[in-house]
Amino acid sequence: METVCSYCGVGCKFEIQEHGRLRGVKSYPINRGRSCAKGLSLSDTLEINRLTTPLMRDTTEDAFGSARYDEAIARIAQAIQNTVPDRVALYLSGQMLNEDYYVANKLAKGFIGTPHCDTNSRTCMASAVVGYKKTLGVDYVPVRMEDIDTTNLLILIGANPAEAHVVLMQRIKKARKRGLKVVVIDPRRTATAKEADLYLPIRPGRDIDLINALMRRLIAEGFHDEAFIHAHTEGFETLIEGLLALDEDSLIKSAGITTEDFEKLVTLWCENERIITGWTMGLNQALQGTENNLAVITLHLITGQINRPGCGPLSLTGQPNAMGGREVGGLATTLAVHLDYTETNRAKVAEFWQTDRLPIAGGLTAYEMLQAAHRGELDVLIICHTDPIYHLPNRRFVEEAIARVSLVVEINAYEGSETAPHAHIRLPAVPFGYKEGTQTNLDRTLTRVEAFEPKGDLLQDWEIFARIGQALGHEKAFDYADTRAVFEEYQAMTRLSEREHLNIFDADYEALKTEPFVWGEGVLSSNRFFTPSQRAQLHFVTTNPHPEEPDEDYPFLLLTGRTRDQWHSGSKTAQIEKLHKYKPLRFVEIHPKDAAYLGIAEGQSVTISSRYGTLTTEARFADLRPGTLFIPISDRRVNYLTSGRIDPYSKEPDYNHTAVRIGVAG
Ligand SMILES: Nc1nc2c(c(=O)[nH]1)N[C@H]1C(S)=C(S)[C@@H](COP(=O)(O)OP(=O)(O)OC[C@H]3O[C@@H](n4cnc5c(=O)[nH]c(N)nc54)[C@H](O)[C@@H]3O)O[C@H]1N2
Ligand SMILES: Nc1nc2c(c(=O)[nH]1)N[C@H]1C(S)=C(S)[C@@H](COP(=O)(O)OP(=O)(O)OC[C@H]3O[C@@H](n4cnc5c(=O)[nH]c(N)nc54)[C@H](O)[C@@H]3O)O[C@H]1N2
Ligand code: SF4
Ligand SMILES: [Mo]
């Protein structure tokens, strides 16, 4: 039997051996037998630290008492019925399977009638979603991982696949042996940067300046693709006018790199025929996250580096099924599948779901839900497969906010989340190993997730949502025989998308066990984009002054991110001894020169403070830009430090640009 990894967006396929041991599947095109330590350790997570009984209490001051699912679900249904739809919110996760997501989204938008159904993918991929929609007209990743095998130049900007997409990094290393050139643009000389032909230690938040300098130079030297621009894009006049008004030297200086390095980047771009740019949180999680995405995609459009093998802008999705959540329509900004809120789409969806309760327009996004809660505007908050108290920025504010919600429900497979102490009801769900369904990896590959242990009396996430739907009186709408029935209803719904690009309706639930299905293959190959004019939209963007530049009080910029063997809050990985060997859970990286200036020794206990909070941890010396610090998100306290600013378009948090100070603890 085979299943797919439930950690990162690469989506490696595993063979299940005796005693549930996992091994990479050699014939699977995504990982070809490869895997990483974290993924393989999933076989050790089936029993550890599990939440196994529904728990309820009246107030967060009380102790939890055990309950039955039906009692807890009746209380949830009652609370929903006692308020108005607009005061109910669902907070979902890019780690849920498509079927779990589909039923939750149908419950929220279709039957409770609340538009406030969003997901932790807002903190992760929202800037890329908006970037693709504004340029290509559709949320579509126009590159596959296999393109790495044939490209000539790979630019990784704000991404650290050596730690965050480990098997993809193995593929990159292999491609380097046949001559692939790699550029890494990151304020930290990461494990990925150490593999690069060119490393540019960018100043945080200045990527647009670098990209503008590059575009300006490429156009000046005639390396843009005039035929492509003329035939397939709009907005070139505005772009060129904007770029010409900028000064190249000032842009390079602002980006914090040397002229010499810039020239090397230009040469690499001009010398290579096929180019991919890959990016992740270093660009997405920023106040200008959407604009960062627009800049990268525009660069690829004006050079015609798109819609051909081995080329294109490749947003590297983080979570295993953040793509699936986008396809199902789990973001508050979409209604269902790839349908936005328009009158026509509402009519189609109302007919499909047989409901008259659909919201009129999009709802609160992830952080906005907590902002609304802080204003006392939410009565019921249902959280599934994610830990917002841990992961949302400015944690003190988020803790205050959640305390103002009268019913907080947490659906989790494990004990010990940071959200659990704030919940009134905690419902257990079965995790990886016990559940089945489908998920979509970062390059649109849809695969079957298989249960390899019997799940017993506990429910899978979608079953919990279906039971809430039934308790609200919608028996028929939520009466599914099994997971396959949910998938097939979802498939049928993908036919509602106007251009039928989301051709998940062509997949087959049984066949997915052995053959992956890649949706949307070739839909842009004729360069007809999904915008009204069918032309891609070029965007001219510039760097705005950041409201939180380092100053005398808070002279450092805090960067946050991942380490190879830990998965986010570590509800699973932190429980496994062997995954602690590579890096500890808690530390702060500081440049040795900064440390020397402040009298900080390696290994010393240090306190880091921002305008929002403070924490004490251990100093480690590292090669990162002087003036920046790095704390891994395996330190669950990290968001006591971060600011609650969000990108105005994508609503994604600005996790990487908080001003902080550091000093010896004590
Ligand atoms: N081991 C492991 N793997 C994971 C995860 C995990 O928890 N653990 N999580 C998964 C998820 S959900 C996600 S979203 C992905 C994230 O994947 P990545 O984004 O590759 O991971 P991060 O560690 O957040 O790396 C972001 C990089 O951006 C850099 N950066 C910060 N600010 C800037 C900037 O202004 N400009 C530029 N150019 N760079 C900047 C940081 O120094 C950091 O190296 O990883 C996925 N994979
Ligand atoms: N400072 C800072 N903050 C960040 C980020 C950053 O880079 N810096 N990154 C952001 C990003 S990109 C992301 S994706 C988020 C991640 O943040 P979270 O989503 O909060 O992180 P996880 O620890 O993966 O939480 C998943 C939860 O699901 C539970 N779980 C596991 N299996 C199941 C299951 O089958 N069903 C259910 N119901 N629950 C299950 C786990 O026990 C765990 O509590 O963090 C965001 N926050
Ligand atoms: S690279 Fe990602 S998908 Fe593959 S085994 Fe590791 S965590 Fe799982
Ligand atoms: Mo993420």
Side-chain angles (χ1 to χ4, degrees):
M1 195 193 273
E2 292 175 359
T3 193
V4 64
C5 181
S6 68
Y7 288 132
C8 87
V10 174
C12 297
K13 194 126 203 205
F14 296 138
E15 193 182 309
I16 299 140
Q17 301 175 288
E18 258 176 65
H19 311 297
R21 297 280 115 197
L22 305 172
R23 188 167 69 188
V25 175
K26 284 220 166 59
S27 58
Y28 192 63
I30 301 292
N31 58 313
R32 299 221 177 278
R34 299 185 191 111
S35 52
C36 72
K38 178 169 75 275
L40 289 182
S41 78
L42 272 167
S43 56
D44 300 327
T45 62
L46 268 52
E47 295 310 326
I48 45 157
N49 208 25
R50 289 276 309 281
L51 176 65
T52 48
T53 346
L55 299 170
M56 287 211 284
R57 59 182 171 182
D58 290 333
T59 74
T60 50
E61 306 287 299
D62 302 324
F64 278 111
S66 54
R68 292 193 317 269
Y69 273 120
D70 58 350
E71 291 170 329
I73 285 170
R75 187 169 149 204
I76 297 168
Q78 189 72 60
I80 294 172
Q81 278 161 341
N82 286 348
T83 185
V84 289
D86 206 40
R87 295 178 66 88
V88 178
L90 270 70
Y91 198 122
L92 309 178
S93 164
Q95 300 178 52
M96 290 165 71
L97 303 184
N98 288 321
E99 295 69 22
D100 301 327
Y101 241 127
Y102 175 80
V103 176
N105 193 52
K106 178 178 177 181
L107 171 68
K109 296 171 190 164
F111 290 86
I112 297 173
T114 175
H116 312 315
C117 172
D118 207 48
T119 136
N120 64 358
S121 302
R122 181 69 55 187
T123 68
C124 179
M125 302 316 303
S127 299
V129 173
V130 182
Y132 279 132
K133 282 172 99 166
K134 277 183 183 282
T135 50
L136 313 183
V138 63
D139 177 18
Y140 178 83
V141 177
V143 191
R144 305 284 320 287
M145 279 187 278
E146 65 192 31
D147 285 302
I148 305 275
D149 304 344
T150 56
T151 192
N152 309 119
L153 175 64
L154 174 65
I155 300 177
L156 291 164
I157 177 163
N160 185 12
E163 312 240 12
H165 293 96
V166 178
V167 165
L168 176 67
M169 190 66 201
Q170 292 168 5
R171 192 166 196 156
I172 295 168
K173 281 189 184 168
K174 189 164 172 230
R176 284 193 75 214
K177 291 199 181 120
R178 63 140 181 94
L180 169 73
K181 293 276 181 281
V182 177
V183 176
V184 171
I185 305 171
D186 195 304
R188 304 160 53 219
R189 191 185 292 269
T190 57
T192 309
K194 287 175 189 147
E195 291 288 327
D197 298 278
L198 176 63
Y199 164 61
L200 304 178
I202 188 123
R203 246 168 91 184
R206 300 300 172 92
D207 301 86
I208 292 173
D209 290 332
L210 178 62
I211 297 168
N212 278 345
L214 179 60
M215 285 201 279
R216 198 179 183 285
R217 176 69 77 82
L218 293 174
I219 295 171
E221 296 193 358
F223 278 93
H224 57 308
D225 185 338
E226 265 183 62
F228 186 92
I229 294 169
H230 182 73
H232 306 301
T233 71
E234 272 173 3
F236 189 63
E237 299 309 315
T238 318
L239 176 70
I240 201 163
E241 205 177 296
L243 289 175
L244 287 178
L246 301 174
D247 172 57
E248 187 181 283
D249 288 341
S250 319
L251 291 171
I252 299 167
K253 205 164 159 221
S254 163
I257 63 164
T258 62
T259 326
E260 205 186 356
D261 280 348
F262 178 68
E263 295 303 332
K264 286 185 191 158
L265 175 67
V266 173
T267 308
L268 278 169
W269 189 286
C270 296
E271 278 177 352
N272 284 290
E273 201 190 314
R274 292 187 292 273
I275 305 171
I276 293 176
T277 303
W279 72 97
T280 314
M281 295 307 111
L283 293 198
N284 288 351
Q285 293 173 338
L287 206 48
Q288 289 192 268
T290 299
E291 286 148 304
N292 286 337
N293 277 265
L294 295 177
V296 173
I297 302 168
T298 298
L299 165 67
H300 275 263
L301 287 165
I302 63 160
T303 48
Q305 289 285 353
I306 191 165
N307 300 344
R308 288 187 284 120
C311 307
L314 171 61
S315 138
L316 297 169
T317 304
Q319 300 178 91
N321 199 37
M323 286 286 278
R326 285 145 73 173
E327 290 144 26
V328 164
L331 292 166
T333 32
T334 31
L335 176 54
V337 293
H338 269 187
L339 301 173
D340 291 329
Y341 279 91
T342 64
E343 266 319 296
T344 328
N345 291 343
R346 283 184 68 243
K348 281 194 217 171
V349 172
E351 164 73 25
F352 184 85
W353 279 340
Q354 290 291 297
T355 182
D356 56 6
R357 305 177 70 93
L358 292 182
I360 307 289
L364 298 167
T365 59
Y367 201 60
E368 289 174 319
M369 280 182 197
L370 277 298
Q371 289 173 326
H374 205 269
R375 295 189 299 267
E377 292 169 10
L378 282 189
D379 292 328
V380 181
L381 177 60
I382 303 177
I383 297 161
C384 180
H385 210 321
T386 182
D387 191 357
I389 296 294
Y390 148 72
H391 79 243
L392 285 174
N394 193 0
R395 176 159 170 176
R396 255 196 335 217
F397 173 86
V398 175
E399 286 177 351
E400 274 169 30
I402 203 162
R404 295 177 188 173
V405 182
S406 36
L407 183 67
V408 176
V409 180
E410 188 204 32
I411 307 172
N412 203 318
Y414 293 87
E415 292 280 3
S417 75
E418 300 294 306
T419 301
H422 303 270
H424 303 93
I425 297 182
R426 294 172 59 205
L427 293 175
V430 287
F432 171 89
Y434 296 91
K435 64 180 173 186
E436 71 162 76
T438 60
Q439 75 185 23
T440 316
N441 80 343
L442 68 84
D443 68 1
R444 290 178 276 110
T445 309
L446 191 67
T447 313
R448 254 303 271 280
V449 172
E450 293 261 37
F452 49 95
E453 292 291 338
K455 78 183 166 79
D457 296 333
L458 294 185
L459 302 176
Q460 178 168 335
D461 289 314
W462 74 257
E463 295 175 294
I464 297 174
F465 290 108
R467 288 212 190 176
I468 298 173
Q470 292 187 321
L472 286 167
H474 309 292
E475 280 86 4
K476 200 158 156 270
F478 292 97
D479 182 19
Y480 296 103
D482 49 24
T483 312
R484 179 193 182 121
V486 179
F487 179 74
E488 288 177 350
E489 183 180 305
Y490 162 50
Q491 277 192 295
M493 195 175 208
T494 60
R495 284 197 189 276
L496 303 187
S497 63
E498 207 177 317
R499 309 234 186 130
E500 301 212 328
H501 65 287
L502 191 62
N503 60 332
I504 289 172
F505 48 80
D506 280 334
D508 179 90
Y509 192 69
E510 274 314 297
L512 282 176
K513 278 186 182 169
T514 46
E515 274 295 306
F517 177 82
V518 183
W519 69 264
E521 269 305 76
V523 298
L524 290 183
S525 56
S526 60
N527 289 318
R528 275 209 304 276
F529 292 89
F530 281 61
T531 55
S533 62
Q534 298 197 345
R535 285 163 175 273
Q537 301 296 303
L538 305 177
H539 289 260
F540 172 65
V541 292
T542 52
T543 305
N544 299 331
H546 195 281
E548 200 164 314
E549 287 295 345
D551 56 20
E552 262 178 37
D553 292 336
Y554 298 98
F556 286 86
L557 269 186
L558 175 67
L559 309 171
T560 62
R562 281 128 188 102
T563 59
R564 194 191 65 194
D565 290 354
Q566 290 299 322
W567 181 256
H568 300 152
S569 68
S571 62
K572 296 157 97 169
T573 46
Q575 304 287 324
I576 297 171
E577 197 55 40
K578 61 182 181 232
L579 295 182
H580 289 249
K581 289 190 188 131
Y582 174 60
K583 281 180 187 171
L585 298 180
R586 293 174 168 194
F587 59 88
V588 59
E589 283 180 1
I590 182 167
H591 192 281
K593 273 193 201 154
D594 286 334
Y597 181 77
L598 296 168
I600 294 169
E602 170 115 58
Q604 199 165 16
S605 178
V606 287
T607 298
I608 297 125
S609 318
S610 72
R611 292 182 175 84
Y612 317 98
T614 186
L615 64 78
T616 296
T617 188
E618 189 184 303
R620 280 171 70 123
F621 291 176
D623 190 358
L624 71 179
R625 256 189 102 83
T628 64
L629 300 174
F630 172 79
I631 296 184
I633 61 171
S634 50
D635 185 334
R636 287 185 166 207
R637 308 163 300 171
V638 63
N639 282 311
Y640 278 117
L641 293 173
T642 52
S643 91
R645 291 197 183 85
I646 57 179
D647 172 304
Y649 308 104
S650 67
K651 311 293 170 89
E652 178 155 346
D654 186 32
Y655 288 113
N656 281 315
H657 308 95
T658 309
V660 293
R661 63 168 168 257
I662 181 168
V664 174

